[in-house]
mmCIF file with all atom_site columns, all heavy atoms in Angstrom:
data_model
loop_
_atom_site.group_PDB
_atom_site.id
_atom_site.type_symbol
_atom_site.label_atom_id
_atom_site.label_alt_id
_atom_site.label_comp_id
_atom_site.label_asym_id
_atom_site.label_entity_id
_atom_site.label_seq_id
_atom_site.pdbx_PDB_ins_code
_atom_site.Cartn_x
_atom_site.Cartn_y
_atom_site.Cartn_z
_atom_site.occupancy
_atom_site.B_iso_or_equiv
_atom_site.pdbx_formal_charge
_atom_site.auth_seq_id
_atom_site.auth_comp_id
_atom_site.auth_asym_id
_atom_site.auth_atom_id
_atom_site.pdbx_PDB_model_num
ATOM 1  N N   . LYS B 1 113 ? -29.252 26.663 -23.768 1.00 0.00 ? 123 LYS B N   1
ATOM 2  C CA  . LYS B 1 113 ? -30.465 26.235 -24.477 1.00 0.00 ? 123 LYS B CA  1
ATOM 3  C C   . LYS B 1 113 ? -30.174 25.634 -25.850 1.00 0.00 ? 123 LYS B C   1
ATOM 4  O O   . LYS B 1 113 ? -31.032 24.991 -26.453 1.00 0.00 ? 123 LYS B O   1
ATOM 5  C CB  . LYS B 1 113 ? -31.451 27.408 -24.599 1.00 0.00 ? 123 LYS B CB  1
ATOM 6  C CG  . LYS B 1 113 ? -30.889 28.607 -25.345 1.00 0.00 ? 123 LYS B CG  1
ATOM 7  C CD  . LYS B 1 113 ? -31.972 29.660 -25.503 1.00 0.00 ? 123 LYS B CD  1
ATOM 8  C CE  . LYS B 1 113 ? -31.542 30.788 -26.412 1.00 0.00 ? 123 LYS B CE  1
ATOM 9  N NZ  . LYS B 1 113 ? -30.628 31.763 -25.783 1.00 0.00 ? 123 LYS B NZ  1
ATOM 10 N N   . GLU B 1 114 ? -28.950 25.812 -26.351 1.00 0.00 ? 124 GLU B N   1
ATOM 11 C CA  . GLU B 1 114 ? -28.686 25.363 -27.719 1.00 0.00 ? 124 GLU B CA  1
ATOM 12 C C   . GLU B 1 114 ? -28.625 23.844 -27.839 1.00 0.00 ? 124 GLU B C   1
ATOM 13 O O   . GLU B 1 114 ? -28.196 23.162 -26.923 1.00 0.00 ? 124 GLU B O   1
ATOM 14 C CB  . GLU B 1 114 ? -27.380 25.990 -28.230 1.00 0.00 ? 124 GLU B CB  1
ATOM 15 C CG  . GLU B 1 114 ? -27.634 27.349 -28.845 1.00 0.00 ? 124 GLU B CG  1
ATOM 16 C CD  . GLU B 1 114 ? -26.383 27.929 -29.471 1.00 0.00 ? 124 GLU B CD  1
ATOM 17 O OE1 . GLU B 1 114 ? -26.169 27.645 -30.652 1.00 0.00 ? 124 GLU B OE1 1
ATOM 18 O OE2 . GLU B 1 114 ? -25.669 28.647 -28.777 1.00 0.00 ? 124 GLU B OE2 1
ATOM 19 N N   . ASP B 1 115 ? -29.022 23.370 -28.988 1.00 0.00 ? 125 ASP B N   1
ATOM 20 C CA  . ASP B 1 115 ? -29.098 21.933 -29.205 1.00 0.00 ? 125 ASP B CA  1
ATOM 21 C C   . ASP B 1 115 ? -27.714 21.381 -29.556 1.00 0.00 ? 125 ASP B C   1
ATOM 22 O O   . ASP B 1 115 ? -27.003 21.951 -30.377 1.00 0.00 ? 125 ASP B O   1
ATOM 23 C CB  . ASP B 1 115 ? -30.088 21.657 -30.353 1.00 0.00 ? 125 ASP B CB  1
ATOM 24 C CG  . ASP B 1 115 ? -30.208 20.174 -30.592 1.00 0.00 ? 125 ASP B CG  1
ATOM 25 O OD1 . ASP B 1 115 ? -30.440 19.440 -29.620 1.00 0.00 ? 125 ASP B OD1 1
ATOM 26 O OD2 . ASP B 1 115 ? -30.051 19.755 -31.759 1.00 0.00 ? 125 ASP B OD2 1
ATOM 27 N N   . GLU B 1 116 ? -27.357 20.275 -28.931 1.00 0.00 ? 126 GLU B N   1
ATOM 28 C CA  . GLU B 1 116 ? -26.004 19.744 -29.083 1.00 0.00 ? 126 GLU B CA  1
ATOM 29 C C   . GLU B 1 116 ? -25.710 19.283 -30.514 1.00 0.00 ? 126 GLU B C   1
ATOM 30 O O   . GLU B 1 116 ? -24.638 19.533 -31.043 1.00 0.00 ? 126 GLU B O   1
ATOM 31 C CB  . GLU B 1 116 ? -25.804 18.590 -28.094 1.00 0.00 ? 126 GLU B CB  1
ATOM 32 C CG  . GLU B 1 116 ? -24.350 18.333 -27.791 1.00 0.00 ? 126 GLU B CG  1
ATOM 33 C CD  . GLU B 1 116 ? -24.153 17.566 -26.498 1.00 0.00 ? 126 GLU B CD  1
ATOM 34 O OE1 . GLU B 1 116 ? -24.770 17.934 -25.474 1.00 0.00 ? 126 GLU B OE1 1
ATOM 35 O OE2 . GLU B 1 116 ? -23.398 16.606 -26.521 1.00 0.00 ? 126 GLU B OE2 1
ATOM 36 N N   . ASP B 1 117 ? -26.672 18.622 -31.146 1.00 0.00 ? 127 ASP B N   1
ATOM 37 C CA  . ASP B 1 117 ? -26.435 18.109 -32.503 1.00 0.00 ? 127 ASP B CA  1
ATOM 38 C C   . ASP B 1 117 ? -26.246 19.242 -33.512 1.00 0.00 ? 127 ASP B C   1
ATOM 39 O O   . ASP B 1 117 ? -25.427 19.148 -34.420 1.00 0.00 ? 127 ASP B O   1
ATOM 40 C CB  . ASP B 1 117 ? -27.618 17.224 -32.933 1.00 0.00 ? 127 ASP B CB  1
ATOM 41 C CG  . ASP B 1 117 ? -27.672 15.963 -32.089 1.00 0.00 ? 127 ASP B CG  1
ATOM 42 O OD1 . ASP B 1 117 ? -26.584 15.508 -31.665 1.00 0.00 ? 127 ASP B OD1 1
ATOM 43 O OD2 . ASP B 1 117 ? -28.772 15.449 -31.834 1.00 0.00 ? 127 ASP B OD2 1
ATOM 44 N N   . THR B 1 118 ? -27.014 20.325 -33.319 1.00 0.00 ? 128 THR B N   1
ATOM 45 C CA  . THR B 1 118 ? -26.893 21.458 -34.244 1.00 0.00 ? 128 THR B CA  1
ATOM 46 C C   . THR B 1 118 ? -25.524 22.106 -34.155 1.00 0.00 ? 128 THR B C   1
ATOM 47 O O   . THR B 1 118 ? -24.905 22.410 -35.180 1.00 0.00 ? 128 THR B O   1
ATOM 48 C CB  . THR B 1 118 ? -27.955 22.543 -33.912 1.00 0.00 ? 128 THR B CB  1
ATOM 49 O OG1 . THR B 1 118 ? -29.005 21.949 -33.176 1.00 0.00 ? 128 THR B OG1 1
ATOM 50 C CG2 . THR B 1 118 ? -28.477 23.216 -35.136 1.00 0.00 ? 128 THR B CG2 1
ATOM 51 N N   . VAL B 1 119 ? -25.024 22.304 -32.915 1.00 0.00 ? 129 VAL B N   1
ATOM 52 C CA  . VAL B 1 119 ? -23.726 22.968 -32.790 1.00 0.00 ? 129 VAL B CA  1
ATOM 53 C C   . VAL B 1 119 ? -22.592 22.044 -33.237 1.00 0.00 ? 129 VAL B C   1
ATOM 54 O O   . VAL B 1 119 ? -21.591 22.494 -33.773 1.00 0.00 ? 129 VAL B O   1
ATOM 55 C CB  . VAL B 1 119 ? -23.467 23.514 -31.370 1.00 0.00 ? 129 VAL B CB  1
ATOM 56 C CG1 . VAL B 1 119 ? -24.475 24.557 -31.011 1.00 0.00 ? 129 VAL B CG1 1
ATOM 57 C CG2 . VAL B 1 119 ? -23.410 22.425 -30.333 1.00 0.00 ? 129 VAL B CG2 1
ATOM 58 N N   . LEU B 1 120 ? -22.775 20.739 -33.058 1.00 0.00 ? 130 LEU B N   1
ATOM 59 C CA  . LEU B 1 120 ? -21.759 19.797 -33.526 1.00 0.00 ? 130 LEU B CA  1
ATOM 60 C C   . LEU B 1 120 ? -21.664 19.795 -35.050 1.00 0.00 ? 130 LEU B C   1
ATOM 61 O O   . LEU B 1 120 ? -20.585 19.692 -35.622 1.00 0.00 ? 130 LEU B O   1
ATOM 62 C CB  . LEU B 1 120 ? -22.067 18.381 -33.024 1.00 0.00 ? 130 LEU B CB  1
ATOM 63 C CG  . LEU B 1 120 ? -21.618 18.051 -31.601 1.00 0.00 ? 130 LEU B CG  1
ATOM 64 C CD1 . LEU B 1 120 ? -22.068 16.654 -31.223 1.00 0.00 ? 130 LEU B CD1 1
ATOM 65 C CD2 . LEU B 1 120 ? -20.125 18.178 -31.421 1.00 0.00 ? 130 LEU B CD2 1
ATOM 66 N N   . ALA B 1 121 ? -22.824 19.940 -35.699 1.00 0.00 ? 131 ALA B N   1
ATOM 67 C CA  . ALA B 1 121 ? -22.842 19.971 -37.160 1.00 0.00 ? 131 ALA B CA  1
ATOM 68 C C   . ALA B 1 121 ? -22.183 21.240 -37.699 1.00 0.00 ? 131 ALA B C   1
ATOM 69 O O   . ALA B 1 121 ? -21.571 21.230 -38.765 1.00 0.00 ? 131 ALA B O   1
ATOM 70 C CB  . ALA B 1 121 ? -24.283 19.875 -37.655 1.00 0.00 ? 131 ALA B CB  1
ATOM 71 N N   . ALA B 1 122 ? -22.313 22.331 -36.936 1.00 0.00 ? 132 ALA B N   1
ATOM 72 C CA  . ALA B 1 122 ? -21.749 23.605 -37.394 1.00 0.00 ? 132 ALA B CA  1
ATOM 73 C C   . ALA B 1 122 ? -20.454 23.929 -36.648 1.00 0.00 ? 132 ALA B C   1
ATOM 74 O O   . ALA B 1 122 ? -20.196 25.073 -36.289 1.00 0.00 ? 132 ALA B O   1
ATOM 75 C CB  . ALA B 1 122 ? -22.778 24.719 -37.180 1.00 0.00 ? 132 ALA B CB  1
ATOM 76 N N   . TRP B 1 123 ? -19.639 22.930 -36.389 1.00 0.00 ? 133 TRP B N   1
ATOM 77 C CA  . TRP B 1 123 ? -18.384 23.130 -35.639 1.00 0.00 ? 133 TRP B CA  1
ATOM 78 C C   . TRP B 1 123 ? -17.414 23.959 -36.476 1.00 0.00 ? 133 TRP B C   1
ATOM 79 O O   . TRP B 1 123 ? -17.309 23.749 -37.687 1.00 0.00 ? 133 TRP B O   1
ATOM 80 C CB  . TRP B 1 123 ? -17.771 21.768 -35.320 1.00 0.00 ? 133 TRP B CB  1
ATOM 81 C CG  . TRP B 1 123 ? -16.864 21.801 -34.120 1.00 0.00 ? 133 TRP B CG  1
ATOM 82 C CD1 . TRP B 1 123 ? -15.526 21.904 -34.137 1.00 0.00 ? 133 TRP B CD1 1
ATOM 83 C CD2 . TRP B 1 123 ? -17.256 21.716 -32.754 1.00 0.00 ? 133 TRP B CD2 1
ATOM 84 N NE1 . TRP B 1 123 ? -15.042 21.896 -32.855 1.00 0.00 ? 133 TRP B NE1 1
ATOM 85 C CE2 . TRP B 1 123 ? -16.081 21.786 -31.979 1.00 0.00 ? 133 TRP B CE2 1
ATOM 86 C CE3 . TRP B 1 123 ? -18.491 21.609 -32.087 1.00 0.00 ? 133 TRP B CE3 1
ATOM 87 C CZ2 . TRP B 1 123 ? -16.092 21.734 -30.583 1.00 0.00 ? 133 TRP B CZ2 1
ATOM 88 C CZ3 . TRP B 1 123 ? -18.505 21.556 -30.705 1.00 0.00 ? 133 TRP B CZ3 1
ATOM 89 C CH2 . TRP B 1 123 ? -17.316 21.624 -29.967 1.00 0.00 ? 133 TRP B CH2 1
ATOM 90 N N   . PRO B 1 124 ? -16.698 24.912 -35.850 1.00 0.00 ? 134 PRO B N   1
ATOM 91 C CA  . PRO B 1 124 ? -15.792 25.746 -36.652 1.00 0.00 ? 134 PRO B CA  1
ATOM 92 C C   . PRO B 1 124 ? -14.674 24.944 -37.333 1.00 0.00 ? 134 PRO B C   1
ATOM 93 O O   . PRO B 1 124 ? -14.260 23.900 -36.841 1.00 0.00 ? 134 PRO B O   1
ATOM 94 C CB  . PRO B 1 124 ? -15.203 26.720 -35.624 1.00 0.00 ? 134 PRO B CB  1
ATOM 95 C CG  . PRO B 1 124 ? -15.645 26.268 -34.311 1.00 0.00 ? 134 PRO B CG  1
ATOM 96 C CD  . PRO B 1 124 ? -16.750 25.308 -34.449 1.00 0.00 ? 134 PRO B CD  1
#
Side-chain angles (χ1 to χ4, degrees):
Chain B
K123 59 176 189 283
E124 273 185 89
D125 181 51
E126 202 160 313
D127 293 329
T128 339
V129 298
L130 278 176
W133 204 262

